[in-house]
Amino acid sequence: MGGKSRNRIFGDRVRGARVRAEFARKSFIVARRERDAAECQLWSEQIEGFGGPAQPSPTIAQCLNGGYPWLQVKCARCSSMASIPLEHVRRKPETPIWTLESAFRCRRCSRPGYRPPVYLVKLTQEREIPACWYHPSEL
C-alpha cells in the first residue's frame, strides 16, 4: 500500500543524534565545539526527518561554532531549494535558527505585494545548493 514510514526511515538517525546530544550536554569532558555540533545535528535530523519540532533550535553562534555554517531552505510555492550561509545573516549570534524562517523569501517567486514563505530543511556542513534567496533588508 504505502512505503516505509518516516519513523522507519529517519528514526534511527534521530535517536542516534539525540543520544549524542544528551551525552554532550551532560559531559564536562566534551569540548564546546563538539557539544554545539551535536545540538546542530540533532535539530537538523529532526527537521529533515520529521518536519519538526523547530523549537528549541540552536543559535546562529552554536551553528557556526559547531561546524554547520549552511542553512538549507525550501520555497513553499515553487519548491526550489537553496543553501544560505549563516555567517552573512544580519542577526545577533544569539538568535535561534527557527526565527529565521519568517525572514527569508524566495527571489524566484517574489512579485510586488507577494513573497511566498520558506521552510527550513536542515543545517549542513557544506554548501549543497546555490543560493537564489535574499533577505528583506537587502532590498
Side-chain angles (χ1 to χ4, degrees), residues 26-111:
K26 293 178 181 176
S27 176
F28 293 108
I29 300 170
V30 177
R32 184 171 180 85
R33 180 168 290 204
E34 294 176 18
R35 202 174 314 152
D36 290 343
E39 291 288 335
C40 293
Q41 183 181 9
L42 171 62
W43 187 81
S44 183
E45 295 290 345
Q46 286 177 340
I47 288 292
E48 183 182 17
F50 299 114
Q55 300 173 14
S57 69
T59 63
I60 294 174
Q62 285 178 323
C63 293
L64 294 174
N65 187 34
Y68 286 84
W70 297 94
L71 176 64
Q72 193 169 338
V73 294
K74 180 178 181 181
C75 177
R77 184 172 180 248
C78 68
S79 297
S80 62
M81 297 180 78
S83 292
I84 299 174
L86 290 175
E87 60 188 18
H88 297 297
V89 174
R90 296 181 192 170
R91 295 284 192 268
K92 293 180 181 178
E94 300 83 29
T95 305
I97 294 296
W98 70 270
T99 59
L100 299 176
E101 187 172 32
S102 62
F104 294 117
R105 300 289 183 239
C106 179
R107 185 180 290 173
R108 193 176 294 165
C109 301
S110 64
R111 292 183 176 77

